[in-house]
Amino acid sequence: MKELNLQITMKACAYAELDDTDRALVDAARQATHRSYSPYSHFSVGAAVRLADGTIVTGSNQENAAYPSGLCAERTALFYAGSRYPGQAVEALAIAARDGQGLYTDEPVTPCGACRQVMLETEMRAGRPLRVLLYGTRRTCIIEGVETLLPLAFGAEAME
Ligand code: THU
């Protein structure tokens, strides 16, 4: 039996080192945390999506007393982008979060499995690697392409 190793590569930098375009997207994600509806988890997540024409759309987590009915910030933003701008490729997605005390997380917040699956399909639709910016006060991680976040993913091609 062979052992196969998968390797992932990502970059990390300080917020101050981000270029203007990335910093604007991270800032939009940070601001979106203030529009979170999270009375149950007290964890406020914001996501910002940059489209091919430079338009930025945002989303935040929206919770519900029937817990599974709520939706993560990433999918709120991506589904909004898809429904409002269906012809526009999504180029980049930034994510930020604040804890119950209102403080931004020091480590980057990472998307849940369901959001990764939706990010993968977003990338397939765009036909180019999705740039993912995961913000934390200590560092921001930059990932080029969803395969890094979701290796061995299930996609539409498996059904062909
Ligand atoms: N959440 C997100 O919105 N995005 C993530 O990447 C992780 C988790 C939300 C879901 C729920 O409202 C709260 O954070 C706690 O899980």
Side-chain angles (χ1 to χ4, degrees), residues 36-38 40-46 60-64 67 70-76 95-97 109-112 115:
S36 158
Y37 175 65
S38 42
Y40 305 104
S41 71
H42 305 289
F43 191 61
S44 305
V45 187
S60 53
N61 56 332
Q62 300 294 313
E63 297 185 349
N64 192 280
Y67 288 8
L71 196 65
C72 292
E74 297 90 323
R75 277 175 289 160
T76 302
I95 309 164
V109 60
T110 58
C112 78
C115 288

Side-chain angles (χ1 to χ4, degrees), residues 71-128:
L71 196 65
C72 292
E74 297 90 323
R75 277 175 289 160
T76 302
L78 288 170
F79 290 152
Y80 176 66
S83 51
R84 177 73 178 80
Y85 304 97
Q88 287 273 343
V90 176
E91 280 191 343
L93 169 72
I95 309 164
R98 289 183 301 117
D99 64 19
Q101 294 177 322
L103 300 173
Y104 289 106
T105 59
D106 46 7
E107 286 301 329
V109 60
T110 58
C112 78
C115 288
R116 292 176 197 214
Q117 187 72 33
V118 171
M119 288 161 64
L120 178 71
E121 187 120 353
T122 301
E123 183 177 79
M124 302 296 278
R125 287 177 73 180
R128 68 186 83 165

Side-chain angles (χ1 to χ4, degrees), residues 92-93 95 119 130-134 141-146 149:
L93 169 72
I95 309 164
M119 288 161 64
L130 180 70
R131 185 172 177 82
V132 184
L133 302 159
L134 307 175
C141 289
I142 303 168
I143 294 166
E144 290 288 351
V146 180
L149 287 164

